[in-house]
Amino acid sequence: MSNYLEDKDLEFLKNCPNEDLKVLADLLVFDKDGKKRWNEKLSEKKSYLEGYPNNLKNAVDDIILELQCYGADTIASAAREIFGKHPGVPYREILMDVCDKKKVSYNKASSTERIEFHFIQSIIEETLQKVSDEDILAIADELGICITGEENRDQIIDNILQKSISPTLYSKMTEIVYSAVVPGAIAGVAGVTSTQLALVVARIGLPRLVGLAIPAINAFMWGWLIKDISGPAYRITVPAVVMIINFRQKMFSLD
């Protein structure tokens, strides 16, 4: 049994499909070049060795532990171990740290799910501010937003953000962000072309909304996510948070 920190926000991972667990495990174990991270410990665990890649259900505890340890500051982790404390931190602390790093506005007293919502909304809003007017209109049309021609760009963006608050559309928005992050988290998407990103999305088979104007949106989202990120831990925790949000939405979506 893994000595992971009890974490109610990650318990649902035990019911996630193997394909999701593999995506998360690959992020934790491998860098963008497909080489094992120098400080990872997951691949040494018996549960991982016996279950990878097709049966990671029994490795969930070790996956959670690995994520918790990446979320902790390296020096603080060493200090915790010296004083006999757990070297990791709970997911909620990782989430808030990522939000602080990306300057996302949120209330620390809010639920974990609410903070996740603000994180996704921040990505969507900043991305919408950067894509073309044509892409903005296409997204509005896909969401069923009536455009009279009298609205300015900011008004249309506000309407899109307002529309995406609904549980069904918010879930789809997380898929859009997820599709931008997953290829990059594991394959170094910073150097991937828009066409290659579109092919990845097509292969994943996401809903029509996710495929809409995806090359431009993916590129801007990835740019937002990697901007100002320094240190190897953030290159793991930022995409990991996006993955966790997407997995949670898929499992608990009412759609």
Side-chain angles (χ1 to χ4, degrees):
M1 177 65 69
S2 299
N3 185 29
Y4 75 99
L5 203 61
E6 200 168 312
D7 198 331
K8 64 181 180 63
D9 292 316
L10 295 181
E11 284 297 310
F12 80 96
L13 288 177
K14 296 180 180 181
N15 296 314
C16 282
N18 186 78
E19 61 190 54
D20 287 349
L21 297 177
K22 181 180 180 299
V23 169
L24 181 56
D26 283 347
L27 170 68
L28 298 172
V29 172
F30 301 105
D31 64 18
K32 64 183 181 63
D33 297 317
K35 297 179 181 179
K36 286 187 177 181
R37 301 184 187 278
W38 68 270
N39 58 340
E40 66 85 19
K41 298 179 181 180
L42 179 59
S43 68
E44 302 172 1
K45 301 295 178 62
K46 182 180 178 181
S47 63
Y48 178 91
L49 293 171
E50 293 180 348
Y52 188 85
N54 299 316
N55 186 22
L56 287 169
K57 289 284 188 179
N58 293 330
V60 174
D61 289 357
D62 286 317
I63 291 173
I64 292 175
L65 174 62
E66 190 81 356
L67 175 57
Q68 290 174 336
C69 289
Y70 272 119
D73 176 79
T74 304
I75 297 177
S77 292
R80 278 191 286 271
E81 289 185 295
I82 291 174
F83 291 103
K85 296 183 178 181
H86 195 281
V89 294
Y91 169 75
R92 182 180 172 87
E93 190 171 326
I94 297 172
L95 171 64
M96 291 193 292
D97 181 55
V98 165
C99 285
D100 292 340
K101 184 69 174 177
K102 300 306 299 176
K103 298 179 174 59
V104 175
S105 178
Y106 68 96
N107 185 337
K108 291 186 177 182
S110 296
S111 67
T112 296
E113 290 80 2
R114 187 66 182 172
I115 297 174
E116 289 177 333
F117 172 83
H118 285 296
F119 179 70
I120 294 295
Q121 286 288 94
S122 293
I123 301 175
I124 296 294
E125 182 172 9
E126 185 151 338
T127 300
L128 291 175
Q129 294 290 351
K130 294 179 179 179
V131 298
S132 69
D133 290 344
E134 182 181 359
D135 288 335
I136 294 291
L137 290 173
I139 294 170
D141 179 67
E142 186 70 15
L143 294 177
I145 297 173
C146 180
I147 303 298
T148 65
E150 297 180 359
E151 302 89 349
N152 60 36
R153 180 185 172 93
D154 286 340
Q155 288 173 324
I156 298 174
I157 289 175
D158 287 343
N159 287 337
I160 292 173
L161 291 172
Q162 185 64 35
K163 190 85 170 180
S164 68
I165 290 176
S166 74
T168 297
L169 292 178
Y170 170 61
S171 181
K172 289 182 178 179
M173 288 295 188
T174 66
E175 288 179 339
I176 292 176
V177 179
Y178 178 79
S179 71
V181 169
V182 172
I186 300 173
V189 82
V192 175
T193 67
S194 294
T195 300
Q196 288 172 315
L197 282 171
L199 290 174
V200 170
V201 173
R203 188 175 72 248
I204 294 174
L206 296 176
R208 180 168 173 247
L209 174 64
V210 182
L212 182 66
I214 203 70
I217 292 175
N218 260 341
F220 283 117
M221 280 184 181
W222 181 248
W224 185 90
L225 287 163
I226 65 172
K227 182 181 178 182
D228 300 326
I229 288 180
S230 59
Y234 280 112
R235 298 190 191 106
I236 297 170
T237 57
V238 172
V241 164
V242 174
M243 291 179 185
I244 296 299
I245 295 173
N246 179 256
F247 298 163
R248 193 191 313 281
Q249 283 299 307
K250 287 197 299 183
M251 180 158 293
F252 299 108
S253 174
L254 298 177
D255 186 25

